[in-house]
Amino acid sequence: MAEPGVRTTGRTGRMATAAVAVLAVGAVVVGVGLWRGWFADPSVSDPPRVRAASVRTVVGDLAAPWGLAFLPDGSALVTERDSRRILRVAADPSGVHTATEVARIDEATPEGEGGLLGIAVSPDHARDGWIYVYYTSARDNRIARLRLGETPQPVLTGIPRGSRTHNGGRIGFGPDGLLYAGTGDAGDRDASQDRSSLAGKILRMTPDGLPAPGNPFPGSPVYSYGHRNVQGLGWAADGTLYAAEFGQNHYDELNRITAGGNYGWPVVEGDSSDDRFVPPLATWATDEASPSGLAVVGDRAWLACLRGQRLYRIGLDGQRPESLLTREYGRLRHVAAAPDGSLWVLTSNRDGRGDPRDGDDRILRLVP
């Protein structure tokens, strides 16, 4: 892992040339050390730790919660990855909350990182009643919609399914009223650069699952490509889309998403001087981040981190990073802005990779 420092650029071409030279002289040990040095240091390292004004548990004893979305009445819908349940957490002014099962997605097939993943509420929910879910089936990853109590109706199928990892899964409606989805490369690195594949992409579609008008590649739902595994999506007040992305061994990323942008995977992990690829706003060492959920509030992005076990807050220019909840609640899966201005954070300690504590998993309510 790279030592803390400042971001540098132009590593991609140098890596290949220098690697050949190292191997030619057989300097294996020296080569390993140089290899680490060629990777640009993360732009965010050792940020100041700050405390939230207050943190309390909204509800506990959940099992690997993954997605969260708020209904017009202020209550929340939460997915559990492995149980395939959708839970409703009713809004309660007294602060006493309970989670009640309101649906189960029987077609979801939990395995590794797959299962019942993201959830989104239609912008016209008061009129149409639609809830959208992203889940792993036995054949693919897919997006379906349902009214609570009814059978899900697939709107987009054929998103490549990873055997155990890189299924993406975050969905959300943008300010434009269109549905966006972050997908993973499903273990096929080259698929991220293949615009005919839905793997390793951010997708943009109508509520019916059709390619959105004005997409950069006509007739395709692909909005941006060259991603490894996107599990965080968030919009600023001006409509700009931001995404959190898992790196492989070196760099997790916060990206500003542009229509048709190529974000470099697998050619680039992190920053690069190659102008074919959109550079990240910020990068983290993977053991300090592994960001899953993302919320944008005002001029700050909030990233819920799994391996890093913390909540990062950073400016939308990639500056002024801060760390909250650092190793206090274990793995953090998602963060979402609640209607009352607080943030709700999902822990993920019962996902097979965490160290569960009494009361896990839980939803935390945080006042910044």
Side-chain angles (χ1 to χ4, degrees), residues 64 94 99 148 169 257-258 284 288 311 333 357:
S94 71
L148 296 178
I257 304 301
T258 59
W284 287 262
E288 295 178 358
L311 185 66
R333 171 63 68 182
R357 312 171 191 182

Side-chain angles (χ1 to χ4, degrees), residues 34-48:
L34 290 175
W35 181 272
R36 291 167 60 89
W38 295 327
F39 283 93
D41 290 333
S43 63
V44 177
S45 64
D46 196 25

Side-chain angles (χ1 to χ4, degrees), residues 181-246:
T183 74
D185 66 11
D188 179 2
R189 295 156 58 100
D190 293 338
S192 295
Q193 291 293 321
D194 179 0
R195 296 204 303 264
S196 68
S197 170
L198 299 182
K201 308 295 189 296
I202 293 176
L203 310 177
R204 178 175 179 259
M205 67 204 83
T206 69
D208 296 323
L210 300 175
N215 274 5
F217 311 111
S220 169
V222 172
Y223 189 68
S224 63
Y225 65 107
H227 299 288
R228 182 173 182 267
N229 194 19
V230 173
Q231 290 187 3
L233 299 172
W235 288 265
D238 64 2
T240 301
L241 173 61
Y242 295 84
E245 181 163 350
F246 289 94

